[in-house]
Amino acid sequence: MTAPTAKEAPAVAAVTRAEVEDFLYAEAALLDGWRLDDWLLLFDPDIKYEVPCNDAVDADPNQDLMLIDDNYTRLAARVTRLNSRHAHREFPHSRTNHQVFNVQLETSGDEIAVTALFTVWRFRAGRSDCYVGRYRYRLRRRDGQLRIAFKRAELAMTDLRAVADVAIIL
């Protein structure tokens, strides 16, 4: 088997894990800083953002109940709502700490498939809650920058009663 020539090599072939990790850390920093409008700019217009129910992490949004199943329009509406005083669950905003680790990637064509583990701490009203799970991303390079085409946050928690809800963006 021969290596692809430069002409045949996909545009994302030169991406490194360090570059992907830096991108994911920057995304986490935007979320922790409640810079949601800037966070939304990381996404391609044909985005899918999913959070399946914790009892069916392999759920198919076409036939199964999802906690979140957003396209770009719904995700933008979610950001607008979270930035307003009308999001009673998140006003004043929670303090969060998004931790991303065990990043793995695989390039295929013009996309990069990424998996990473996450822990998201949420601090609000004297409580601390912890969300744990796995991210699945499909990233693309557009105008020299990595962009999110797909993001899925699969919760590893067996019970959501301890955290009560998923009002923050994982």
Side-chain angles (χ1 to χ4, degrees), residues 69-152:
D69 182 18
D70 286 354
N71 61 15
Y72 190 88
T73 302
R74 286 193 300 265
L75 190 59
R78 183 180 303 278
V79 165
T80 299
R81 190 171 52 257
L82 285 171
N83 279 331
S84 77
R85 292 178 167 261
H86 299 293
H88 301 293
R89 294 292 238 166
E90 282 306 319
F91 191 83
H93 300 310
S94 297
R95 291 185 181 178
T96 60
N97 184 297
H98 287 72
Q99 301 169 2
V100 182
F101 49 96
N102 289 3
V103 175
Q104 299 178 344
L105 59 113
E106 180 180 317
T107 59
S108 174
D110 64 347
E111 292 190 335
I112 307 153
V114 177
T115 59
L117 300 181
F118 71 83
T119 302
V120 178
W121 285 93
R122 175 186 184 202
F123 304 95
R124 180 173 166 74
R127 282 184 52 155
S128 62
D129 299 314
C130 183
Y131 303 82
V132 179
R134 174 184 321 275
Y135 288 135
R136 296 188 187 280
Y137 289 89
R138 280 195 323 272
L139 304 178
R140 297 179 186 143
R141 194 179 296 279
R142 190 174 74 180
D143 300 326
Q145 302 293 319
L146 290 176
R147 307 282 293 189
I148 302 170
F150 174 82
K151 180 177 180 180
R152 184 176 175 118

Side-chain angles (χ1 to χ4, degrees), residues 52-53 56-69 152:
C53 293
V57 295
D58 60 346
D60 176 358
N62 293 321
Q63 59 187 4
D64 298 314
L65 181 65
M66 305 288 278
L67 295 174
I68 297 171
D69 182 18
R152 184 176 175 118

